[in-house]
Amino acid sequence: MDLNYTAEEQAFRDEVKTFFDKKLPGRLADKVKSKKRLTKEDQEEWHAILNEAGYLSAHWPEEFGGKAWNAIQRDMFDVEANIAGAPRVVPFGVNMLAPVLMAFGSSEQQKHYLPRILDGTDWWCQGYSEPGAGSDLASLKMTAERQGDHYILNGQKTWTTLGQHADWIFCLVRTSKEGKQQEGISFILVDMNTPGVEVRPIILLEGTHEVNEVWFTDVKVPAENLVGEENKGWTYAKYLLVHERSGIAGVGDALAGIEHLKHIARDQKKDGKPLADDPMFAARLAQLEIDLSAMRTTNMRVMQAASSGAPPGPETSMLKIKGTELRQSINDLTRRALGPYAMPFVSEALEAGYNQEPVGPDYANPVSMDYFNHRKTSIYGGSNEVQRNIISKMMMGL
Amino acid sequence: MDFNHTQERQMLADMTGRFVREQYPIEKRHEIAASQEGFSRELWSQMAELGLIGALFPEEAGGFGGTGFDIAVVFEQLGRGLVVEPFLASLLAGTVLSRGNESQKSLLENVISGETILALAHGEPASRYMLSHVETTATKTGEGWQLNGNKAVVINGDTADQLIVSARVNGEMDDTDGIALFLVPADTDGINRRGTSTVDGYRTAEIALSNVAVGEDAVVGDAGDAYANLQTSYLLGTLAVCAEALGAIEVAIELTLDYMKTRKQFGVPIGKFQALQHRMADMMTEREQIRSAVINAAGNLDLVDREWYISAAKNLVGRSGRLIAEETIQMHGGIAMTWEYAAGHYAKRIVMIDHMFGDVDHHLERIMKLGRVA
Ligand SMILES: Cc1cc2nc3c(=O)[nH]c(=O)nc-3n(C[C@H](O)[C@H](O)[C@H](O)COP(=O)(O)OP(=O)(O)OC[C@H]3O[C@@H](n4cnc5c(N)ncnc54)[C@H](O)[C@@H]3O)c2cc1C
């Protein structure tokens, strides 16, 4: 056991810091820190910068052009990225589809899609959930029927994050109604420009458009877009869920959240003194920091065990629960730090071009919206109830 | 003891509830909230006609209610409909005005009839939840007073016809002594109002006062002695939003329970999962705790321990309200994250009420300072 960073690790951190110093455009960092809405172009710009530096795929295995970063390196990068105010990488291509293609895709698929994920040619979205298939994903109904060298897709996906920007969607579809539900599911790649694909917006409770319904009516997809074998899609989807452990805890984002909260608490006054000095408030803040420091280590322990080949266990579920609930608590205390200024909300002020006086302190406007928006994190990616079910099943021997 | 409402008050509750149910479906509510003024003048006058505004004021102020329970039953029903009309602003400003002179008091008639909208412009950018914090100044002039300063997050301050503005005539920034209240037409020279929506669909305003000249007759009560008046107004306002939160909580729980029975996953209604049942059980328990705290607050409104009971209720509403709001969303899953579905809007209102008249911690501190009551 040694909690000190090695000289090598420290050098790595310096390298990463320098990268953010030099390469992260100030305009983007400002937007992220002031929680303005990022446009598709903003995302693409940052994606390209990361790719050029080789950081986009640094966690990929070396055979696919990655750097096979270890747990410490990933943690450092995540933390520095968040402290610097780097946009979050849209995960669907780089972190979700890519590992599945590496493990189960044909070499043609790997050669074709992986470089396009990296250079940003294809923006991917995730088509798993359906109106009737949320937590019970295996009950999904959207069908893909084989006709010669094509599949014909019919059905509806929903909650598709950033589907309005996407070029491609990876879908779980039903290819068989025989046997167990899980055994009739396939994993298929669909060009969103194919006739019969229709994207309809869903507006979230704070008024943002980040998710969509995607409808499929007789959509003709070449058979070579199937990933792996027919009816094995469930295995691939589960592989992704248990293997994609990095980032699930959101350590860097939580650290940045606490920094932001401290900044607000130093600026806000209670009874003429900084809120940060108020014992009750300081106690609540201290509790969050205790939880976060332990979670950071839990996260590295889990990632390290994973990279040394330990089979995936329920720790991923623990990190999902702890990570999301801690982040939600930070958001909760942040809204409380604002006092009455948590109430007014000017939606247009989230746009970069907005140049009117803010209502209240300049950091106030997005705070409550963020608090409500972040309620999604304990619902998606396998709800926290589902995660608790997994822990119960795997750890309790009942 | 008797925990039943009097027949009259039960009728008031039923009538308000029916009006909200029949006239205020959530789609209409969103439309109204998004309109220019953020509320409907038409519905407001209908509500006035039904006596819902008058129910908030005692007879000596021209109303026919005004007890803690009158306020509580009306606001509970308003909370059930997420009603955006200016009830709270009217209660706050009207209460203050009822301590004014005869001509000021006569304005209350117009408030109760729905013709005049009043807002209480008291909070300031730096006051947070401190009632005595007033930086705005009132300086004596030959003919009256001149007001200078900034008012923050003034509920319905953007559309009010008249404002009641607090300002300091002497003393330090946080002194309870030295505060005065002024009744000022909102279109008076030197008043600059910037209206905004709140995240939960209500309206507030930031108000800048720059050399606003008012006459001596604008003073409400005695100049310098307004603190007690403000305190009463805020206590009633706090009670009102606690009851409003209770109404919103009732609906949030009803929606969630209904969804647990109808939404199927893994071949069964999700309500079959004990993990969710136990949490619903907690939500229902907390709802009853809040109901009791509101009863305590309403019933003690005219007694010595009123501050304690009102702070207790507000603390509980903030604490358990957050739990219920968050669980409402969580136990629905994705659907409650959407604008189209009602549950998220109830959750927003419940949580935002924590930011009015002091949050969980503010009232916890109040209770600690006041000490225990039996
Ligand atoms: C903002 C947002 C973005 C999303 N992005 C995407 C995306 O890009 N792609 C995609 O495919 N999906 C996406 N999702 C969908 C997400 O994965 C689902 O919302 C999630 O799986 C939950 O499904 P549901 O909403 O249908 O809730 P339900 O499954 O209906 O669950 C309702 C409630 O019941 C609970 N519950 C269900 N089963 C059990 C059980 N067995 N035991 C105990 N409790 C249980 C749930 O935890 C929840 O509290 C997104 C969702 C949101 C809100």
Side-chain angles (χ1 to χ4, degrees):
Chain A
M1 204 62 87
D2 181 1
L3 295 184
N4 295 305
Y5 290 113
T6 63
E8 223 172 289
E9 284 161 353
Q10 287 179 29
F12 175 81
R13 191 206 303 273
D14 290 341
E15 173 199 318
V16 166
K17 271 191 157 135
T18 314
F19 167 74
F20 287 112
D21 266 1
K22 291 222 166 89
K23 295 291 161 108
L24 172 61
R27 188 183 59 83
L28 287 184
D30 286 347
K31 264 187 152 178
V32 169
K33 287 188 169 172
S34 58
K35 302 194 186 290
K36 303 274 189 202
R37 292 193 179 110
L38 292 176
T39 62
K40 183 181 188 186
E41 291 69 36
D42 292 334
Q43 297 281 8
E44 287 174 337
E45 181 184 348
W46 181 234
H47 184 102
I49 295 170
L50 282 175
N51 186 41
E52 199 193 306
Y55 286 145
L56 197 56
S57 58
H59 57 293
W60 289 9
E62 277 159 337
E63 55 177 311
F64 293 104
K67 299 177 196 282
W69 272 357
N70 64 29
I72 310 292
Q73 289 169 313
R74 285 174 175 217
D75 172 76
M76 280 181 168
F77 190 82
D78 171 44
V79 168
E80 295 305 331
N82 278 283
I83 300 277
R88 197 178 80 109
V89 175
V90 179
F92 304 111
V94 185
N95 297 329
M96 294 187 172
L97 178 63
V100 170
L101 289 180
M102 290 177 211
F104 307 106
S106 66
S107 66
E108 289 76 32
Q109 286 171 338
Q110 293 169 351
K111 273 193 218 111
H112 178 74
Y113 292 109
L114 294 178
R116 292 164 65 98
I117 288 174
L118 290 183
D119 70 17
T121 309
D122 300 331
W123 180 308
W124 285 89
C125 64
Q126 179 190 29
Y128 282 13
S129 306
E130 296 181 6
S135 299
D136 184 13
L137 185 58
S139 70
L140 62 91
K141 289 203 167 64
M142 178 170 148
T143 54
E145 242 179 275
R146 182 77 188 239
Q147 281 185 10
D149 54 2
H150 281 84
Y151 284 97
I152 305 297
L153 272 51
N154 277 292
Q156 188 206 334
K157 292 295 174 186
T158 191
W159 306 122
T160 320
T161 299
L162 300 184
Q164 72 267 37
H165 297 331
D167 306 299
W168 285 77
I169 180 168
F170 53 95
C171 291
L172 291 178
V173 290
R174 185 152 300 287
T175 36
S176 165
K177 293 186 174 119
E178 312 282 305
K180 280 176 63 183
Q181 282 184 332
Q182 286 82 349
E183 288 161 8
I185 292 172
S186 298
F187 195 110
I188 197 163
L189 314 176
V190 185
D191 182 343
M192 305 271 285
N193 286 318
T194 320
V197 178
E198 194 199 334
V199 180
R200 298 182 195 166
I202 299 175
I203 302 303
L204 293 186
L205 81 168
E206 9 67 53
T208 50
H209 173 203
E210 59 179 60
V211 295
N212 304 271
E213 298 177 344
V214 186
W215 295 72
F216 298 81
T217 316
D218 294 328
V219 176
K220 206 172 160 192
V221 178
E224 71 244 29
N225 287 17
L226 188 78
V227 174
E229 290 175 50
E230 204 173 89
N231 298 330
K232 288 274 163 56
W234 187 252
T235 318
Y236 310 152
K238 268 187 83 173
Y239 167 87
L240 183 62
L241 287 180
V242 289
H243 280 82
E244 191 39 56
R245 281 177 273 197
S246 79
I248 197 163
V251 170
D253 182 46
L255 269 170
I258 286 201
E259 282 314 308
H260 187 57
L261 172 54
K262 284 181 176 167
H263 165 74
I264 292 175
R266 281 191 294 266
D267 188 62
Q268 284 286 314
K269 297 281 188 298
K270 184 184 167 205
D271 303 341
K273 292 188 290 280
L275 180 63
D277 297 342
D278 175 65
M280 196 115 74
F281 187 87
R284 295 195 188 281
L285 182 61
Q287 239 156 35
L288 296 176
E289 294 195 280
I290 292 167
D291 288 352
L292 177 54
S293 85
M295 188 179 78
R296 188 170 182 186
T297 298
T298 309
N299 186 46
M300 281 194 280
R301 283 171 53 211
V302 171
M303 292 209 297
Q304 212 161 52
S307 57
S308 57
E315 296 83 2
T316 318
S317 296
M318 294 180 171
L319 285 175
K320 161 82 198 320
I321 294 168
K322 201 72 230 172
T324 53
E325 292 180 5
L326 177 58
R327 190 68 181 88
Q328 290 174 338
S329 299
I330 297 169
N331 282 315
D332 178 60
L333 196 57
T334 310
R335 82 163 162 82
R336 285 204 257 165
L338 288 185
Y341 274 122
M343 292 191 283
F345 175 54
V346 183
S347 181
E348 308 84 81
L350 296 176
E351 304 299 340
Y354 187 81
N355 52 17
Q356 288 185 46
E357 277 268 302
V359 176
D362 58 1
Y363 46 71
N365 191 52
V367 167
S368 289
M369 181 215 64
D370 235 25
Y371 162 84
F372 289 111
N373 181 276
H374 268 76
R375 303 312 307 172
K376 71 189 174 189
T377 63
S378 47
I379 295 170
Y380 66 28
S383 77
N384 286 18
E385 287 73 28
V386 166
Q387 306 295 346
R388 286 182 168 94
N389 286 344
I390 293 172
I391 295 172
S392 309
K393 212 168 179 177
M394 291 180 84
M395 292 187 93
M396 299 185 189
L398 292 169
Chain B
M1 282 219 193
D2 177 5
F3 291 110
N4 295 304
H5 286 306
T6 61
Q7 205 185 352
E8 265 171 66
R9 199 166 291 121
Q10 192 56 51
M11 279 166 61
L12 173 66
D14 293 346
M15 181 182 64
T16 315
R18 196 173 330 113
F19 185 84
V20 169
R21 244 186 349 267
E22 289 170 2
Q23 304 296 322
Y24 222 81
I26 188 94
E27 302 76 27
K28 185 162 171 190
R29 184 265 184 188
H30 291 333
E31 231 172 80
I32 294 171
S35 68
Q36 182 66 28
E37 294 198 299
F39 69 94
S40 156
R41 296 261 175 187
E42 190 192 328
L43 282 180
W44 183 238
S45 50
Q46 288 178 30
M47 288 159 166
E49 231 163 86
L50 283 178
L52 304 190
I53 311 171
L56 307 178
F57 298 101
E59 267 171 44
E60 59 270 26
F64 33 84
T67 70
F69 288 115
D70 293 317
I71 293 170
V73 297
V74 170
F75 272 89
E76 180 181 345
Q77 298 305 322
L78 298 177
R80 292 189 61 93
L82 300 178
V83 171
V84 291
E85 275 63 29
F87 281 94
L88 183 59
S90 302
L91 174 64
L92 292 171
T95 299
V96 163
L97 206 61
S98 70
R99 273 90 175 155
N101 61 33
E102 287 310 314
S103 106
Q104 290 166 344
K105 272 202 264 191
S106 70
L107 183 60
L108 266 176
E109 274 172 42
N110 300 347
V111 173
I112 288 169
S113 68
E115 288 152 65
T116 301
I117 311 277
L118 289 186
L120 177 59
H122 173 55
E124 298 190 357
S127 51
R128 198 174 178 83
Y129 302 124
M130 192 189 240
L131 189 63
S132 63
H133 182 99
V134 177
E135 290 181 57
T136 298
T137 55
T139 324
K140 196 95 187 69
T141 61
E143 306 83 61
W145 300 83
Q146 196 181 58
L147 311 179
N148 278 290
N150 291 290
K151 296 292 167 181
V153 199
V154 177
I155 300 160
N156 294 110
D158 56 340
T159 44
D161 306 302
Q162 307 221 30
L163 301 169
I164 298 177
V165 177
S166 62
R168 186 163 289 289
V169 292
N170 58 54
E172 299 294 317
M173 201 159 70
D174 295 335
D175 287 353
T176 50
D177 285 342
I179 303 170
L181 292 165
F182 300 88
L183 177 66
V184 192
D187 57 4
T188 307
D189 281 349
I191 296 183
N192 192 356
R193 301 189 282 176
R194 177 172 180 204
T196 46
S197 296
T198 60
V199 74
D200 53 346
Y202 297 74
R203 300 284 301 179
T204 63
E206 302 299 292
I207 301 179
L209 306 149
S210 145
N211 298 330
V212 177
V214 297
E216 195 58 53
D217 56 353
V219 179
V220 182
D222 294 325
D225 262 348
Y227 185 75
N229 196 357
L230 280 167
Q231 204 177 20
T232 302
S233 167
Y234 266 47
L235 283 173
L236 296 185
T238 312
L239 169 65
V241 294
C242 286
E244 185 188 341
L246 173 62
I249 282 166
E250 289 163 5
V251 177
I253 288 179
E254 287 160 17
L255 287 170
T256 309
L257 186 60
D258 195 45
Y259 196 72
M260 284 170 74
K261 291 175 182 164
T262 48
R263 170 67 171 173
K264 282 192 177 164
Q265 288 288 276
F266 304 99
V268 294
I270 56 171
K272 291 276 180 214
F273 301 126
Q274 208 166 49
L276 300 188
Q277 287 170 5
H278 283 189
R279 284 153 61 187
M280 176 51 78
D282 285 344
M283 288 161 72
M284 290 172 151
T285 307
E286 290 309 310
R287 176 189 60 198
E288 294 317 308
Q289 284 285 91
I290 289 171
R291 191 187 308 286
S292 296
V294 170
I295 290 172
N296 285 344
N300 280 282
L301 194 61
D302 299 319
L303 304 176
V304 285
D305 290 324
R306 63 181 193 166
E307 270 193 71
W308 195 97
Y309 283 109
I310 284 179
S311 279
K314 191 62 172 49
N315 172 270
L316 199 56
V317 161
R319 197 152 38 96
S320 300
R322 173 192 165 196
L323 173 91
I324 292 166
E326 292 181 351
E327 291 286 57
T328 291
I329 297 178
Q330 182 66 26
M331 287 167 56
H332 272 89
I335 182 93
M337 286 298 301
T338 65
W339 181 273
E340 202 178 333
Y341 189 73
H345 296 282
Y346 283 90
K348 286 195 287 187
R349 183 59 181 161
I350 295 164
V351 173
M352 282 302 108
I353 282 177
D354 191 32
H355 295 271
M356 309 176 91
F357 312 116
D359 66 1
V360 174
D361 286 348
H362 174 87
H363 287 284
L364 190 59
E365 271 182 353
R366 290 291 308 149
I367 297 274
M368 284 156 66
K369 280 192 190 126
L370 289 165
R372 254 191 74 82
V373 294

